[in-house]
């Protein structure tokens, strides 16, 4: 394996790590938006799921965690 192949493999691992990190940030940001919408109290779980591009089950999960 030459040095380029070694660096190329490192880049793939780094890209995957960055991709995973961005996914986690997106999940947490979405969770925070769901909490804010729940606290507002004017939207249904269905509407929150639609606006945040998640499922009603995910909204219910966040709502349950929020009350614990």
């Amino acid at each position: 394996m030459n040095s380029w192949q070694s660096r190329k493999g490192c880049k793939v691992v780094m890209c995957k790590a960055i991709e995973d990190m961005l996914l986690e940030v997106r999940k947490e940001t979405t969770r925070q938006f769901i909490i804010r919408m729940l606290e507002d109290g004017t939207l249904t779980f269905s509407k929150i799921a639609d606006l945040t591009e998640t499922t009603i089950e995910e909204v219910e999960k966040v709502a349950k965690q929020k009350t614990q």
Side-chain angles (χ1 to χ4, degrees), residues 21-39 43 45-63 65-66:
M21 182 181 67
L22 290 173
L23 181 60
E24 285 303 312
V25 168
R26 182 176 187 272
K27 286 180 183 179
E28 181 57 27
T29 301
T30 299
R31 186 179 159 284
Q32 292 299 321
F33 278 127
I34 291 171
I35 289 170
R36 290 177 65 193
M37 290 179 201
L38 289 167
E39 288 173 346
L43 300 172
F45 283 13
S46 177
K47 187 63 177 177
I48 293 171
D50 183 48
L51 292 171
T52 59
E53 299 178 348
T54 59
T55 63
I56 293 172
E57 292 79 14
E58 183 64 26
V59 175
E60 291 170 344
K61 178 180 165 186
V62 172
Q65 290 172 345
K66 183 180 168 297

Side-chain angles (χ1 to χ4, degrees), residues 3-32:
S3 63
W4 167 249
Q5 289 171 325
S6 176
R7 283 184 276 174
K8 185 178 177 185
C10 183
K11 286 180 183 180
V12 170
V13 171
M14 188 62 124
C15 287
K16 177 68 173 136
I18 291 170
E19 193 175 287
D20 291 346
M21 182 181 67
L22 290 173
L23 181 60
E24 285 303 312
V25 168
R26 182 176 187 272
K27 286 180 183 179
E28 181 57 27
T29 301
T30 299
R31 186 179 159 284
Q32 292 299 321

